[in-house]
């Protein structure tokens, strides 16, 4: 791919695209990861490539639910690791919760590659200064973030085959799961198990978006940066959440942007 | 990728996706082809995955302009060959016009691979029965379709570098170009050279969609099948075309579908 000019109006989007293309070449992602990314690009384009007020409210709600959880977990697939892995390690460090690498088309090779990448990023992030507003020993907070997913010792009840595999200490145990870019079937099953499922999905019409407890209709790397801020602030309470209202607002934005 | 059930409601879309993934593995497509396909999928989803009445009108207009052209050409990139190559060979046989393989990120290897694929498909199509409503010697009509693009003996004036390369007998000579999935810059330059540029683009907000003489906002394989019917019927005249009206209607459909 060609060089992206510094002042290109869609530079961030093009840089994310490059990350996905490069990661595919390195064997980190499934065959269809680039197609999924392209779909996301189109929806993000229609959403104006920025975080809406309603998405911010959904991120705040997610922060409150993750903070109040007994066993929170952040479940990441390949695209999430590539686009937002670093920010989510920071979020996990603040929440003191594990990250589970959990991919839909599971292969040991990809699990291991994603695992290694996250461990390397943990190492780098542990050397950073404390994130703004956070008090404590950052190095040890980051180092204590467990990266799960290599062990296939857990199962998601109600699913069959490789898609059911999870970590016993991660998704199986969790009461609240932040799972960006989730599959619709799995989302439905996790909900039916009584878990809070917080998803990030750029398509407000997807089954995942409709099934989730809280749907953040926004791009995962933007979400992760804002989520970090909110989990540090810890200033919001869990509300009587109306997810449909959030989806409707996202559709309104798409509809408005399509009119112009 | 997994098997797609016969009765899956989005079977056609999933089969197209599979074609793109397989072609990528075979080295037929550029790095970003899958991402472009994913973007298309999202827009097609919002358009209801069917050809709208306004898209049909645009296809009919394109058929009339191709029929009336002195030197029509169909310019195809990798995704177009993979998704609609066969139908477009039939269209070219009816129009008695060449097909030019012309790709944005030009490499000799990909040009040659796409060339070979089209020649193979030509061979198969020449053995088919006459398409419905078409009278004549189908075998010789198909065999006489020239596949251009290997020779880099033409230039698109106003462009620099590899993007300017074209065939002298194809795009350079042509007065009317059907070019599905075109890049915005190139579309603009071709228009400025006084050519009729007929594009297929699922994003009615893209620069290509806005620049083109006639924009067909629809999925390329559906378009090609309908176009074949219209070029055979040959029942329509060139009109005083209002492309903006077509784009507005596509946006209205997206906006309506986003409301529900």
């Amino acid at each position: 791919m060609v060089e992206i000019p510094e002042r290109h109006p869609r530079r961030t989007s093009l840089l994310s695209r490059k990350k996905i293309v490069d990661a595919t070449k390195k064997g980190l992602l499934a065959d269809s990861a680039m197609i999924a990314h392209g779909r996301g690009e189109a929806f993000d384009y229609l959403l104006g490539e920025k975080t809406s007020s309603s998405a911010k409210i959904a991120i705040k709600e997610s922060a409150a639910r993750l903070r109040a959880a007994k066993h929170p977990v952040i479940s990441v697939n390949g695209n999430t690791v590539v686009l937002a892995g670093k920010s989510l390690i920071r979020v996990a460090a603040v929440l003191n919760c594990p990250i589970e690498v959990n991919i839909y088309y599971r292969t040991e090779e990809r699990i291991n590659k994603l695992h290694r990448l996250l461990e390397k990023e943990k190492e780098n992030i542990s050397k950073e200064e404390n994130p703004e507003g956070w008090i404590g020993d950052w190095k040890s907070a980051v180092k204590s973030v467990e990266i799960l997913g290599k062990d296939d010792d857990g199962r998601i009840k109600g699913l069959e085959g490789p898609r059911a595999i999870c970590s016993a200490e991660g998704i199986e145990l969790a009461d609240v799961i932040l799972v960006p870019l989730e599959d619709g079937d799995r989302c439905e099953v996790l909900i039916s198990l009584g878990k809070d499922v917080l998803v990030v999905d750029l398509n407000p019409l997807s089954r995942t978006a409709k099934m989730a407890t809280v749907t953040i209709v926004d791009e995962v790397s933007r979400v992760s940066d804002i989520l970090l801020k909110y989990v540090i602030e810890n200033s919001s309470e869990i509300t009587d959440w109306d997810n449909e209202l959030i989806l409707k607002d996202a559709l309104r934005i798409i509809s408005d942007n399509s009119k112009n």
Side-chain angles (χ1 to χ4, degrees), chain A:
Chain A
M1 234 185 259
V2 287
E3 201 63 21
I4 303 156
E6 280 291 336
R7 294 168 69 173
H8 193 291
R10 299 191 51 250
R11 182 173 162 83
T12 314
S13 172
L14 296 175
L15 284 175
S16 290
R17 184 187 297 176
K18 195 173 173 330
K19 280 185 195 167
I20 292 287
V21 171
D22 291 347
T24 300
K25 286 188 188 160
K26 287 183 194 152
L28 284 164
L29 305 179
D31 285 346
S32 53
M34 287 211 278
I35 292 178
H37 185 74
R39 281 200 303 279
E41 272 190 4
F43 281 105
D44 201 20
Y45 179 82
L46 287 170
L47 288 162
E49 291 177 352
K50 62 185 180 214
T51 305
S52 68
S53 323
S54 56
K56 273 188 195 153
I57 293 170
I59 300 172
K60 196 166 258 187
E61 180 74 19
S62 300
R65 287 179 186 241
L66 285 165
R67 293 233 44 149
K70 217 165 153 180
H71 298 291
V73 68
I74 300 174
S75 172
V76 293
N77 69 0
N79 289 32
T80 303
V81 169
V82 169
L83 296 173
K86 283 181 200 154
S87 298
L88 290 174
I89 291 169
R90 294 185 194 107
V91 171
V94 171
L95 290 170
N96 187 25
C97 83
I99 292 179
E100 175 169 343
V101 179
N102 196 300
I103 55 183
Y104 195 77
Y105 300 107
R106 187 183 175 96
T107 72
E108 293 310 309
E109 194 199 342
R110 285 206 298 118
I111 289 268
N112 289 337
K113 281 185 176 173
L114 292 168
H115 217 274
R116 271 204 298 278
L117 178 56
L118 285 173
E119 287 292 356
K120 210 178 87 187
E121 287 181 340
K122 244 178 74 179
E123 191 59 37
N124 292 332
I125 290 166
S126 74
K127 290 171 196 156
E128 290 176 350
E129 286 186 28
N130 282 18
E132 206 183 318
W134 190 84
I135 299 162
D137 178 355
W138 185 241
K139 186 168 185 158
S140 86
V142 174
K143 295 240 172 188
S144 70
V145 172
E146 263 195 286
I147 311 291
L148 305 170
K150 270 191 180 173
D151 297 329
D152 51 2
D153 54 354
R155 286 296 175 275
I156 301 170
K157 278 180 205 124
L159 281 178
E160 306 268 314
R163 292 186 300 157
I165 298 172
C166 70
S167 164
E169 292 299 301
I171 289 177
E172 188 169 297
L173 180 68
D175 53 341
V176 178
I177 309 174
L178 173 70
V179 53
L181 320 185
E182 179 54 305
D183 161 74
D185 281 350
R186 285 224 326 201
C187 183
E188 187 169 359
V189 171
L190 292 170
I191 291 277
S192 75
L193 294 172
K195 299 175 192 290
D196 255 25
V197 182
L198 321 170
V199 304
V200 181
D201 197 321
L202 279 157
N203 176 3
L205 293 162
S206 79
R207 228 158 63 76
T208 303
K210 287 177 191 163
M211 291 301 310
T213 316
V214 176
T215 304
I216 303 166
V217 185
D218 196 16
E219 195 278 322
V220 66
S221 72
R222 290 198 301 268
V223 169
S224 306
D225 291 342
I226 298 171
L227 181 63
L228 176 65
K229 223 181 78 194
Y230 287 156
V231 290
I232 292 172
E233 278 178 17
N234 191 20
S235 62
S236 50
E237 299 284 324
I238 294 172
T239 68
D240 191 9
W241 185 247
D242 183 351
N243 205 47
E244 220 170 294
L245 199 71
I246 291 292
L247 296 180
K248 271 189 187 154
D249 192 65
L251 290 169
R252 178 194 60 76
I253 294 166
I254 290 176
S255 174
D256 286 356
N257 285 342
S258 315
K259 271 181 207 144
N260 304 329

